Amino acid sequence: MDGEAKQFFRQHFYMYILDLNDVIDFIKMIIIKRLILFLLFFFYNNYVNGLIINSAGFFRVESAQIFKPIITEFNEYAEKNNLNITVKLNLFSNINSVLSLEDYGSMLESLLEKKSEKYDILFYNNMFIPRIGKYLSDLNDFLPKEHLEMYDSKMKSDFCSYKDKLVGLPITRFYNVLYYNSVLINKYNQYVPKTWDDIIKVGKHILTEEKKINNTELIGYNGLFDDTDFGSSSILQFLHSFRKEVNSTFPEINSPEVTEALKMMKKVKNEISSDETFSKDISYTISKILDGNAIFINYWIYPHLSASYKFTQPPGAINGVSSSVAQTFNAGVNNHISNEKKIASYKFIEFATSREIQKEFVIKKMIVSSIKDMYQDEEICKDYNCNALMNMQLIGRPINENYKTYSEKFRKYVYEYLYGNKSISQVIKNLENITKIHYISIKPIDDYIGLICFIIITILSFLMLFSLAFIFIENFNPFFKFLSQDLWIINILGHIFILCSCFIKYGEESRLKCYFSLILSIGFTICYAPIFYKLVVYFPKINSISDWVSRHNYLFISLLYLIDIIILIFAILQPFQITKNVDNNNIIYQTCEITKFHGLINFLMIGYKIILSSIISLLMFIEWSIDEIRYDLRFIVSGLYVIFMSMIISFILKIIIINNYTPNYLIPLCLIIIAAFSNYFFTYGYRIILGILNKQNVKLAFICQINQGFINNESVIPESISQFKSTKY
């Protein structure tokens, strides 16, 4: 390289290096600026603006939402009291979102399931508690006891709790009331109705009088039996209003009360309304409130509506009995956030649900408070019908994880009668399937399968028990030589134990029954422990184990039982949970939730039985040619095979989820009955049959044997006695 070329290279190389240094300096400057901005933002949020608490809420009509005013007031309160907390609201409404209420619930469930910390405070409808309750904090552990006592315990239990956890407190609540047109009521000197018959009577009178002056737009009752959840709430409210007394529970679907309620529902529609009016949605209801062209309106309570309408308790079948479907908008705390944010969130909930704030917003006619004595306040009662509010007979919706599907099917079946031609009996049968928890019962009205199985189990149990008498009958003794009388009794009791375990399947599922279902496997050990003992004793070669077992028979058998007991004790460590299932035919039933822990317990129980069966099978193989027990072993193998296959199938059924009510109960029940009786027959029952078919007089045979011995001067056993002795029956 010549000199000029070298000089050119040096100049450009140094220029490149200088440009690179400039780039590095620029990057450093950007990083430093970013760091400074981050520190300023952090300082502002934590020392100037305070701790930021993010909340999420849903309100379809943003102008009617109540979360923002309460949050604004809290932030002002926090600033005045130097709490260094700022709550921010992320509101999903008609203005900024296309989410429905159901979509909002699904979003919360998805976020919480992923342990997201995006939102600290959650405003939610109580219908979402089964889906998100497990992810929310227990307010019982953090809010003062005096504060919680302001709220009715039943309300907290029905609308704010998840498995004994208080997962929220209501910011506000809504429930159905009856709005009546006070202008028309006063115009025709009518009274405010208390029963459904009153509604029809007053409604027909006013409709007739108004038609005389050509008012054909007036409706008697809107119903609000539309194809949304409002329709489901209207149905539930109507059915509940036909209970016999105020304190009565929701009437059974197949009760006369529900039949009468459905008939009255159709009567009200036909006499003071119509199919078209009854099926209109909420927008139609609001329009009727605004134009005043309705006598009675079923709608959610709002503190302030049209001046023409006043509200009262919804009517019932009899005077004094009413019903109103309620729902709450609760505030809960995300259990995944830091303790610092949890404490700040609790302070907000305590503020928002305090008596002072609730009263302030009640007076502003923005919320309906759930504090139990709020509507005894004279200041509030100046503007409210406190008597009606205090005496509302509220009922919650039957909330569960499949509520949306349930709600759709529930109103579909009722509407088939209300708007169609389906019979009440068919509708009630369909409603029963989706509302009643089905289980095996001995009542024929529920299911004949349960009664038939009960009779079979009872007969077989008594048959087994009474068959023990044959071991004490002298002429049958030769057929029961395999075991002693006490061991036969243990064996038969084991079969009865297995058979009677079927009774655990009867009635509604419970945690205790789930635990007792494990005890079923002990019956196998009870049955086969005496047989195991006998096979060990009969071992062809003399050994110390056989000798010890023969001298300690009860101790040996007890040790076999002890293994089962130890496994069962471990099962107590984790309680069972009950799972509600809905099968393909909309039938609701309960099952024991099999967790990994309980799956392990089942595996240990089945594994122990497999090991026990394998050892018994091995001993039988070794002793297969022993003449004295040859035929006993062949029948025992058959019984063992049946019960072993039943246990395998049962274990598979516990793993495979059969989403069908009838097979889920009937298959295990039949398996137990077949296994118990088959095993009983192959180990014990067939001996009775052989004894009857080959009945002999044992004493006479013995005398003949002695006489023949004297005659032949030798111990020659007659052919009949020889056959009898060798047990070749």
Side-chain angles (χ1 to χ4, degrees), residues 323-549:
S323 179
S324 181
V325 173
Q327 61 176 308
T328 59
F329 285 92
N330 299 337
V333 178
N334 184 350
N335 203 30
H336 302 312
I337 61 177
S338 65
N339 287 331
E340 184 183 18
K341 285 196 168 187
K342 280 184 182 179
I343 293 170
S345 300
Y346 298 139
K347 287 181 179 178
F348 169 78
I349 292 179
E350 185 177 0
F351 174 87
T353 58
S354 65
R355 183 182 298 277
E356 294 76 15
I357 297 303
Q358 288 279 300
K359 180 178 177 180
E360 176 187 338
F361 283 92
V362 166
I363 291 173
K364 290 179 180 178
K365 296 186 176 180
M366 296 179 69
I367 66 170
V368 179
S369 179
S370 295
I371 295 178
K372 55 188 177 183
D373 59 353
M374 179 63 71
Y375 295 99
Q376 293 177 352
D377 191 299
E378 292 183 4
E379 186 179 358
I380 291 174
C381 292
K382 291 177 183 177
D383 299 319
Y384 284 90
N385 182 357
C386 288
N387 183 55
L389 292 172
M390 286 293 296
N391 292 293
M392 285 290 174
Q393 298 168 27
L394 303 180
I395 178 178
R397 292 171 293 181
I399 303 302
N400 55 61
E401 294 183 7
N402 299 311
Y403 175 73
K404 183 181 178 182
T405 303
Y406 162 81
S407 178
E408 290 172 352
K409 291 175 180 175
F410 181 78
R411 62 177 178 268
K412 172 181 175 291
Y413 292 139
V414 172
Y415 291 169
E416 285 176 352
Y417 166 74
L418 185 62
Y419 302 124
N421 297 316
K422 270 281 179 73
S423 66
I424 286 184
S425 60
Q426 184 60 52
V427 169
I428 286 177
K429 183 179 179 181
N430 291 335
L431 289 176
E432 258 197 310
N433 287 340
I434 64 170
T435 54
K436 174 186 173 183
I437 296 177
H438 289 70
Y439 49 81
I440 296 178
S441 171
I442 61 173
K443 296 178 181 178
I445 193 172
D446 294 327
D447 199 336
Y448 282 102
I449 294 176
L451 179 61
I452 292 169
C453 289
F454 180 84
I455 293 171
I456 292 172
I457 293 166
T458 304
I459 291 173
L460 291 179
S461 297
F462 278 108
L463 180 66
M464 292 179 185
L465 187 63
F466 291 138
S467 69
L468 282 172
F470 287 96
I471 63 175
F472 300 103
I473 299 174
E474 194 172 41
N475 290 336
F476 285 85
N477 284 347
F479 299 96
F480 296 98
K481 289 175 61 180
F482 182 69
L483 295 176
S484 59
Q485 290 179 341
D486 54 347
L487 295 183
W488 276 124
I489 292 172
I490 293 173
N491 178 267
I492 297 305
L493 290 178
H495 291 108
I496 296 173
F497 186 93
I498 294 174
L499 198 58
C500 290
S501 67
C502 292
F503 293 132
I504 296 173
K505 301 287 184 181
Y506 283 76
E508 198 167 343
E509 200 67 82
S510 68
R511 292 181 179 182
L512 189 61
K513 285 185 177 182
C514 292
Y515 180 75
F516 279 150
S517 66
L518 295 174
I519 299 178
L520 166 64
S521 63
I522 294 181
F524 175 86
T525 312
I526 296 173
C527 288
Y528 277 91
I531 295 172
F532 188 20
Y533 155 78
K534 192 69 173 181
L535 293 173
V536 172
V537 171
Y538 263 93
F539 197 79
K541 292 185 179 180
I542 299 173
N543 60 83
S544 58
I545 296 176
S546 297
D547 182 59
W548 183 87
V549 169

Side-chain angles (χ1 to χ4, degrees), residues 478-715:
F479 299 96
F480 296 98
K481 289 175 61 180
F482 182 69
L483 295 176
S484 59
Q485 290 179 341
D486 54 347
L487 295 183
W488 276 124
I489 292 172
I490 293 173
N491 178 267
I492 297 305
L493 290 178
H495 291 108
I496 296 173
F497 186 93
I498 294 174
L499 198 58
C500 290
S501 67
C502 292
F503 293 132
I504 296 173
K505 301 287 184 181
Y506 283 76
E508 198 167 343
E509 200 67 82
S510 68
R511 292 181 179 182
L512 189 61
K513 285 185 177 182
C514 292
Y515 180 75
F516 279 150
S517 66
L518 295 174
I519 299 178
L520 166 64
S521 63
I522 294 181
F524 175 86
T525 312
I526 296 173
C527 288
Y528 277 91
I531 295 172
F532 188 20
Y533 155 78
K534 192 69 173 181
L535 293 173
V536 172
V537 171
Y538 263 93
F539 197 79
K541 292 185 179 180
I542 299 173
N543 60 83
S544 58
I545 296 176
S546 297
D547 182 59
W548 183 87
V549 169
S550 65
R551 288 185 291 106
H552 302 87
N553 55 346
Y554 286 114
L555 179 59
F556 174 73
I557 292 172
S558 298
L559 289 173
L560 297 177
Y561 299 156
L562 183 62
I563 297 173
D564 272 317
I565 293 170
I566 291 172
I567 296 174
L568 285 171
I569 291 172
F570 276 110
I572 301 174
L573 297 177
Q574 183 174 324
F576 278 93
Q577 297 297 329
I578 307 299
T579 303
K580 187 179 287 187
N581 306 282
V582 181
D583 75 0
N584 299 325
N585 297 317
N586 305 318
I587 294 177
I588 301 173
Y589 64 98
Q590 293 176 322
T591 55
C592 303
E593 184 179 341
I594 304 297
T595 62
K596 290 182 179 179
F597 176 80
H598 296 120
L600 176 62
I601 295 297
N602 275 323
F603 177 78
L604 291 174
M605 296 288 273
I606 299 296
Y608 171 52
K609 302 304 174 291
I610 291 174
I611 293 171
L612 196 61
S613 302
S614 301
I615 297 173
I616 291 173
S617 300
L618 178 62
L619 289 173
M620 286 194 294
F621 176 76
I622 294 171
E623 300 166 15
W624 194 255
S625 59
I626 299 177
D627 287 340
E628 191 173 350
I629 59 172
R630 180 185 302 173
Y631 294 99
D632 296 288
L633 297 183
R634 280 152 178 74
F635 278 98
I636 290 171
V637 165
S638 301
L640 188 63
Y641 176 77
V642 172
I643 203 166
F644 181 73
M645 290 302 297
S646 300
M647 289 172 62
I648 295 296
I649 295 171
S650 178
F651 179 70
I652 293 172
L653 290 175
K654 287 181 181 294
I655 299 173
I656 300 173
I657 299 174
I658 302 176
N659 191 29
N660 197 301
Y661 163 69
T662 304
N664 190 69
Y665 281 98
L666 193 59
I667 292 176
L669 205 66
C670 292
L671 278 174
I672 293 171
I673 294 172
I674 292 170
F677 186 74
S678 299
N679 196 54
Y680 161 81
F681 177 79
F682 285 120
T683 56
Y684 185 87
Y686 81 94
R687 301 170 189 272
I688 298 173
I689 296 173
L690 290 174
I692 294 171
L693 296 176
N694 298 275
K695 189 174 181 181
Q696 301 182 49
N697 190 319
V698 175
K699 287 185 178 180
L700 181 61
F702 180 73
I703 293 171
C704 290
Q705 178 185 350
I706 298 298
N707 291 338
Q708 189 68 29
F710 278 115
I711 294 171
N712 298 325
N713 199 24
E714 57 183 359
S715 299

